Amino acid sequence: MRTRIKICGLTREDDLLAAADAGADALGMVFYAGSKRCVDVAQAARLRRLAPSFVSVVALFVNPSPDDVQRVLDEVGPDLLQFHGDETPEACERYAHPYLRAFRVGGPTLQTQDDIAQACEQYAGAQGWLFDSYSSGYGGSGLAFDHTLLNGVPATKRRAVVLSGGLKAENVEAAAMHVRPWAVDVSSGVESAPGIKSAGRIQEFVAAVRAADARLTALAG
């Protein structure tokens, strides 16, 4: 049992290297102008070149234009796209590139287990379903949500569940024990300021996830 870890909202070279050194499986960059963690294509391309082998790079978008996504694909070369806005299944799949579909739990159309299960079924082509808390800022808010709402996620896709929303070293162990996601995603929970990661907090977060893995392995044994 090993929960994968994504560190999102990276803007600086030192932070990317700190995340990789700590054992992150995926590194996320935000291409949404409304975010304090937004990077431009040139900046992202520089960061992308620093990503070690076998560590995935994820490009996050919120209701982007097709031209903007294609430019990032061409010039940055992310391994995975993440759609965090109101994109339709067709909009996510038009690039023929692996993608995550994010759901902002607690929003107007995602308030019950049935709401979430039905939304997941619409995006059956996604590599994973990422569950974040609802906020006006499309992620990075530090807010959590009621994890019992994920109990209705179709069991055949459990390995594709990515848990986000208000995670930090102090609560990720309990969250991972409850949800048992394929991966966890953190941004503000490992920061000293918006867009500025703390190497120490990243290490503490990774250690807490590994503690959850150890407990889950012991329970399974």
Side-chain angles (χ1 to χ4, degrees), residues 63-146:
N63 303 325
S65 72
D67 286 347
D68 287 344
V69 177
Q70 193 60 54
R71 185 182 177 202
V72 170
L73 284 170
D74 293 342
E75 299 187 28
V76 180
D79 300 290
L80 198 63
L81 304 177
Q82 179 176 326
F83 294 104
H84 217 92
D86 306 305
E87 300 86 0
T88 64
E90 294 75 20
C92 295
E93 293 169 7
R94 66 178 297 160
Y95 309 99
H97 198 82
Y99 74 93
L100 294 174
R101 184 63 173 96
F103 300 103
R104 300 160 66 214
V105 179
T109 62
L110 293 173
Q111 297 188 350
T112 69
Q113 290 184 17
D114 286 344
D115 289 343
I116 294 166
Q118 290 172 17
C120 290
E121 293 291 0
Q122 294 178 36
Y123 295 87
Q127 295 289 306
W129 298 320
L130 185 149
F131 299 97
D132 198 358
S133 54
Y134 177 80
S135 71
S136 60
Y138 293 97
S141 66
L143 300 174
F145 65 90
D146 180 1

Side-chain angles (χ1 to χ4, degrees), residues 149-163:
L149 292 172
L150 302 185
N151 292 345
V153 174
T156 56
K157 288 287 188 178
R158 290 296 292 179
R159 284 168 61 89
V161 167
V162 182
L163 182 63

Side-chain angles (χ1 to χ4, degrees), residues 3-206:
T3 305
R4 276 64 179 175
I5 298 171
K6 173 172 172 271
I7 307 295
C8 197
L10 294 164
T11 63
R12 305 189 306 168
E13 295 181 1
D14 287 350
D15 295 345
L16 182 146
L17 294 173
D21 288 346
D25 300 279
L27 309 169
M29 290 181 277
V30 177
F31 297 89
Y32 169 52
S35 171
K36 296 177 181 178
R37 303 166 182 87
C38 183
V39 293
D40 60 32
V41 173
Q43 182 181 4
R46 289 193 298 272
L47 292 171
R48 203 306 175 224
R49 287 192 289 270
L50 292 175
S53 299
F54 307 111
V55 177
S56 298
V57 171
V58 184
L60 185 156
F61 299 93
V62 176
N63 303 325
S65 72
D67 286 347
D68 287 344
V69 177
Q70 193 60 54
R71 185 182 177 202
V72 170
L73 284 170
D74 293 342
E75 299 187 28
V76 180
D79 300 290
L80 198 63
L81 304 177
Q82 179 176 326
F83 294 104
H84 217 92
D86 306 305
E87 300 86 0
T88 64
E90 294 75 20
C92 295
E93 293 169 7
R94 66 178 297 160
Y95 309 99
H97 198 82
Y99 74 93
L100 294 174
R101 184 63 173 96
F103 300 103
R104 300 160 66 214
V105 179
T109 62
L110 293 173
Q111 297 188 350
T112 69
Q113 290 184 17
D114 286 344
D115 289 343
I116 294 166
Q118 290 172 17
C120 290
E121 293 291 0
Q122 294 178 36
Y123 295 87
Q127 295 289 306
W129 298 320
L130 185 149
F131 299 97
D132 198 358
S133 54
Y134 177 80
S135 71
S136 60
Y138 293 97
S141 66
L143 300 174
F145 65 90
D146 180 1
H147 294 156
T148 63
L149 292 172
L150 302 185
N151 292 345
V153 174
T156 56
K157 288 287 188 178
R158 290 296 292 179
R159 284 168 61 89
V161 167
V162 182
L163 182 63
S164 188
L167 297 179
K168 51 189 175 181
E170 294 80 3
N171 64 15
V172 70
E173 182 177 349
M177 291 287 294
H178 174 75
V179 178
R180 303 192 180 191
W182 174 251
V184 291
D185 184 327
V186 65
S187 182
S188 62
V190 292
E191 290 182 339
S192 56
I196 307 299
K197 307 304 184 192
S198 162
R201 290 181 184 178
I202 291 173
Q203 291 168 0
E204 290 168 359
F205 185 86
V206 172

